Amino acid sequence: MRGRMTNEICYWLFCFVPASTNLATKIFGFSEFLAAVALLAVVYTIADVRYKFRIAVTPGPLYATTFILIAVIGLQTLLTEIWVAEGWLVPKTIGLTRSTWQGIFGLLFLGTFLTWMYYAFIRPPVFGRRNALRFARELYRYILRGNDDELKVIANELARSAKPLIKYCRRLPPRFPEEETSPKQATKKKAGAEDYAHDILLLIANRKFCRQIVGASPVTAQAFFEEMTSAKKFDIPMGQFARNISSEAVAQKGSFLYDEAEGYSSGLLGYLKPVSKAVYGNYLLVEALANNVASPLDIHFEEQWAWDARQWGAYCRATLMTLKDCLNKGYGSQNSYALNRAMHDIESAYHDLYKLNDTPDGFGSDIYDRLSVAANFIKDAIDLLDKQPNPPKPLRRIREGTYPKNIYDHLALLIFKLCFAASTVNSPPETCWTIHHNVVWSTIFTRINGNGAAWKIVQFKVRRLLYDEIARLAEFPNYKGSRILGFCLNVLGMKTGSNKENYGKDAYALAKAVHSWTRKHYLSMREKNADVAESVLIGSVSFDEAGGRLVKTYLKGLNRESPKTYLELEPPAAPDVTGTADTAMN
């Protein structure tokens, strides 16, 4: 049925009229669509990696949805332009005008744009159940590509997902699981957020990625360790990440370990130490990681051997931070895997000390400085013990190579090994005295440090270790014991006398014992093994064969001749011939 007007056509209740060609009613046409799409493409092309990553990990197929909507909007706006240009009929009775039609498509396009802006700027997505796979896949793609500029941005962006990643990550199985009576059959299941979080924590342990975290975004490491501490969730795969973060922190001399060294030069961050405390300041976290895979203090020995004195100083500060929290929480009496391994690693600081042998002056060299760093670590560690209101109780006499041990025993063993390493430097006398006395001996028995209870305990254990090693020479001549004896004679001299002020009461007891043993056994040892006895002569200590005595020669100074002190030696005891003959006859 035709209407009363020639430009209106009705079929029953449905009427159609030609589309309006009035340009004034145009709101969102095809030309506006093309301009908007071009602008959106340009914005996305020049956008930072941060915003591309955020859009890529949104909880939902944002890229696919956007493509479909833009395709639909583009086709509809183009079709609308053609429809209007040709004057084709449009429905009249439903009230859907050209302006309304274009407004709907304009609103859809605006909604798409606002959705992108919402996820890119207003509320960026973090790791969660809805985007776990997408988050892991995108992070893997960036880390695998390994672009330093991109990794810096992604490292900073990852800090926002630290809390959900720690929350969702499944716990590691126990290292020593209990035996089950009925074995369970393995069942396949779809990977969930817990599995992806587990894999992501292993993924971020990539060494190159950790390098960018330390260099450009240390707050990311802080966020992960603080979240582990807050949630008290330590049995997760963070050992590799912790070790590599710590390795890079020591290696990079502009990292947080150096910026937060102390407040005098670093200001507020030096006093607060936010990142350092997050990584090293929780003993329970460090110890739990050490029991699983590796702790922040477990760094490969090949890297440690390449460190200089400043880097060893950073590592020692980190170890002291963990030790301080251990003592504050009352775990000092327990055996600590993390701290024990760290103190063992500190021995690597002076592994090449022998290179100072026969050098005129080792003072100021990196080897000398590294030795000083190790000695100062021992001093600071014992001072921490002295400051504790309830210090750990010492164990009874512990011989080297036996267990159990606690912090006192490990520090004493570290000092003993420091003395033995120092004994490898045997000439010239000036270098020997600098290494033996000024660096090592003054750390152990200096009058300033010898007042606290912890110092007395450690000094006692060191005296026992030194003297036991020397006494073993009577039964089994060996170069280790002979060098320890030479070290002690070089720093203690040849005369004990009755004046304890020359030694201090702790060193005085050792001096008396060493002089007494040497007086009785040195000539006998020289008869049994002359080479071992000769290795005792370190620094300015020499043997007067004509007089049968040991001689220590001091610097001449303003004296006419170099001062000397002597240790008179007893001849070896004659063998019991009578007893031997009687035994043979019997």
Side-chain angles (χ1 to χ4, degrees), residues 267-322:
L268 182 62
L269 291 181
Y271 292 111
L272 298 179
K273 296 179 173 57
V275 185
S276 300
K277 286 185 177 179
V279 179
Y280 305 101
N282 185 352
Y283 167 73
L284 296 178
L285 184 151
V286 175
E287 185 67 13
L289 292 177
N291 289 329
N292 289 329
V293 179
S295 77
L297 301 178
D298 293 323
I299 301 177
H300 198 270
F301 72 92
E302 290 182 353
E303 296 183 49
Q304 293 177 344
W305 283 14
W307 288 349
D308 58 20
R310 191 179 178 200
Q311 290 170 318
W312 273 110
Y315 180 78
C316 289
R317 287 195 301 272
T319 306
L320 288 171
M321 202 173 298
T322 304

Side-chain angles (χ1 to χ4, degrees), residues 12-42:
W12 297 99
L13 299 177
F14 300 98
C15 297
F16 298 89
V17 295
S20 175
T21 59
N22 185 7
L23 296 178
T25 60
K26 185 177 181 180
I27 296 177
F28 186 75
F30 188 68
S31 59
E32 289 80 6
F33 167 77
L34 290 178
V37 170
L39 181 61
L40 187 63
V42 170

Side-chain angles (χ1 to χ4, degrees), residues 317-333:
R317 287 195 301 272
T319 306
L320 288 171
M321 202 173 298
T322 304
L323 175 60
K324 182 178 181 180
D325 190 67
C326 171
L327 297 174
N328 291 341
K329 291 179 178 177
Y331 293 100
S333 298

Side-chain angles (χ1 to χ4, degrees), residues 11-323:
Y11 297 96
W12 297 99
L13 299 177
F14 300 98
C15 297
F16 298 89
V17 295
S20 175
T21 59
N22 185 7
L23 296 178
T25 60
K26 185 177 181 180
I27 296 177
F28 186 75
F30 188 68
S31 59
E32 289 80 6
F33 167 77
L34 290 178
V37 170
L39 181 61
L40 187 63
V42 170
V43 171
Y44 180 77
T45 302
I46 65 175
D48 188 24
V49 175
R50 183 188 309 274
Y51 307 112
K52 291 182 179 180
F53 178 80
R54 291 176 177 179
I55 295 299
V57 300
T58 52
L62 185 59
Y63 280 129
T65 303
T66 300
F67 175 79
I68 293 173
L69 283 175
I70 289 179
V72 171
I73 294 171
L75 290 173
Q76 292 299 330
T77 53
L78 178 60
L79 182 60
T80 300
E81 294 286 343
I82 297 174
W83 201 285
V84 171
E86 294 294 331
W88 293 341
L89 297 178
V90 296
K92 176 184 178 182
T93 53
I94 61 176
L96 188 62
T97 64
R98 177 186 179 184
S99 301
T100 307
W101 184 255
Q102 290 182 336
I104 291 174
F105 291 119
L107 184 62
L108 286 175
F109 192 89
L110 178 62
T112 302
F113 175 77
L114 292 178
T115 301
W116 279 55
M117 295 300 101
Y118 177 79
Y119 283 119
F121 297 100
I122 306 303
R123 192 172 181 181
V126 297
F127 179 87
R129 291 191 179 278
R130 296 173 58 194
N131 69 339
L133 172 60
R134 192 173 290 106
F135 195 100
R137 184 179 297 165
E138 195 68 16
L139 183 62
Y140 174 79
R141 186 172 67 87
Y142 277 104
I143 293 180
L144 187 62
R145 189 157 56 192
N147 183 280
D148 288 341
D149 294 331
E150 292 180 349
L151 291 181
K152 291 177 182 178
V153 178
I154 300 302
N156 183 262
E157 184 66 18
L158 189 64
R160 300 174 52 258
S161 296
K163 183 174 182 179
L165 282 170
I166 299 299
K167 174 185 175 182
Y168 285 114
C169 181
R170 55 181 168 83
R171 298 179 182 272
L172 293 172
R175 294 185 64 184
F176 306 102
E178 298 180 358
E179 295 183 0
E180 299 181 357
T181 55
S182 58
K184 296 182 179 180
Q185 295 182 354
T187 57
K188 294 183 178 180
K189 64 175 184 178
K190 185 178 179 180
E194 295 79 6
D195 301 302
Y196 290 119
H198 175 275
D199 292 346
I200 287 175
L201 293 185
L202 288 175
L203 177 63
I204 63 176
N206 176 269
R207 188 59 182 267
K208 193 170 186 179
F209 188 62
C210 290
R211 185 177 303 121
Q212 299 306 324
I213 290 178
V214 172
S217 183
V219 293
T220 301
Q222 178 185 356
F224 275 97
F225 284 98
E226 285 184 346
E227 186 55 36
M228 291 176 65
T229 300
S230 176
K232 296 182 179 180
K233 192 173 181 179
F234 307 140
D235 51 346
I236 55 178
M238 286 290 286
Q240 296 93 329
F241 177 77
R243 178 183 57 200
N244 290 340
I245 286 291
S246 186
S247 298
E248 289 298 330
V250 176
Q252 299 181 30
K253 296 182 180 180
S255 70
F256 59 87
L257 271 180
Y258 301 89
D259 291 340
E260 300 175 356
E262 44 83 24
Y264 181 78
S265 59
S266 302
L268 182 62
L269 291 181
Y271 292 111
L272 298 179
K273 296 179 173 57
V275 185
S276 300
K277 286 185 177 179
V279 179
Y280 305 101
N282 185 352
Y283 167 73
L284 296 178
L285 184 151
V286 175
E287 185 67 13
L289 292 177
N291 289 329
N292 289 329
V293 179
S295 77
L297 301 178
D298 293 323
I299 301 177
H300 198 270
F301 72 92
E302 290 182 353
E303 296 183 49
Q304 293 177 344
W305 283 14
W307 288 349
D308 58 20
R310 191 179 178 200
Q311 290 170 318
W312 273 110
Y315 180 78
C316 289
R317 287 195 301 272
T319 306
L320 288 171
M321 202 173 298
T322 304
L323 175 60

